[in-house]
Amino acid sequence: SAMVESTGSARRLLPTRAAATRKAAVGAASRHLAAIGYLIEDEDLKERCSDLLKARRNFDRAVREATTVLDARLRRLCQIRDRLNPADLVGRTLHPGKALLRVSSDYGEQEGFFFVCKGLMQAFRNPSHHQLNDRLTREDALRLCGFVDLLLRKLGTAQVAPQDGTT
C-alpha cells in the first residue's frame, strides 16, 4: 500500500507508514537472526535461547536461560549434583585456590575468570531468576548471550581437576 505524490506532470509512489514499518521490522528481524548466528556458537545455548531472542518481548527469559546453561555446564563438567546457589557453584568450580576447573595456569587469569562468572551470576542471573524485567531489550539479551557463549567456549578448554569423590 502506497500513496501517490503528484508534482506537476511527475507522479511517484510513496510508501505508507505501515509499509515502512513492516520493511523496518523485516530488516531488524534479519539483523537479529544474523546476530544470533554470529554471537552464539554453543549448541546448548543456541538451542535454548534463539527462540527467546527472536520473540517480540520478555527478553529477560533469554538471560535467565543463558545463565542456567552456564550453571548447568559448570555442574556437568565437574559432575556436581549437590544443590548449590550459583555463587557457591562458581566458587566451588572456579575459585583459583581450589578450582575443579582450570581455565588458566596463571593464578590471576583463573581469578579473573572466577570473578567474571561470579559477577555474572550475581548481577544478571539472580535478578532474572527472582523478578521479571520488561525493560531488558533484545540487544541487551543478545549481548549477554554472546558473553555467556564466550565463557562457555573458555570452559570448553578447561582442565578438570581430579575429585575426591565428594559431590
Side-chain angles (χ1 to χ4, degrees):
S1 58
M3 296 179 7
V4 177
E5 176 186 59
S6 296
T7 55
S9 61
R11 292 173 42 141
R12 66 183 176 129
L13 292 177
L14 296 176
T16 63
R17 184 176 300 208
T21 302
R22 276 192 302 277
K23 184 177 180 181
V26 168
S30 67
R31 283 192 310 276
H32 295 141
L33 288 174
I36 292 167
Y38 181 75
L39 292 172
I40 304 174
E41 295 178 0
D42 184 85
E43 289 302 320
D44 291 338
L45 189 63
K46 191 179 293 187
E47 181 180 321
R48 294 191 171 272
C49 295
S50 291
D51 61 323
L52 301 174
L53 292 166
K54 294 173 192 172
R56 299 184 123 187
R57 60 185 173 278
N58 301 326
F59 300 109
D60 57 328
R61 297 176 306 144
V63 170
R64 192 166 31 257
E65 199 65 17
T67 55
T68 300
V69 170
L70 178 59
D71 184 290
R73 185 70 50 84
L74 290 171
R75 289 177 184 283
R76 182 174 57 78
L77 289 171
C78 295
Q79 301 177 355
I80 293 176
R81 291 178 276 292
D82 295 351
R83 291 182 58 90
L84 296 171
N85 73 47
D88 290 342
L89 175 65
V90 170
R92 186 160 169 190
T93 58
L94 295 171
H95 190 280
K98 57 183 181 208
L100 296 176
L101 289 172
R102 283 269 169 227
V103 296
S104 176
S105 59
D106 180 89
Y107 186 92
E109 289 176 17
Q110 180 75 30
E111 183 179 46
F113 193 80
F114 159 71
F115 282 128
V116 165
C117 289
K118 185 173 181 179
L120 178 84
M121 293 299 201
Q122 291 176 320
F124 294 98
R125 184 253 179 229
N126 288 351
S128 73
H129 278 257
H130 297 289
Q131 60 196 24
L132 302 176
N133 181 356
D134 293 331
R135 295 181 317 269
L136 192 71
T137 67
R138 179 189 329 266
E139 290 74 17
D140 290 337
L142 276 165
R143 288 180 186 104
L144 186 115
C145 288
F147 186 62
V148 169
D149 185 81
L150 180 66
L151 297 176
L152 293 170
R153 191 167 348 137
K154 186 77 169 167
L155 287 174
T157 66
Q159 299 294 312
V160 181
Q163 298 181 40
D164 61 8
T166 57
T167 56

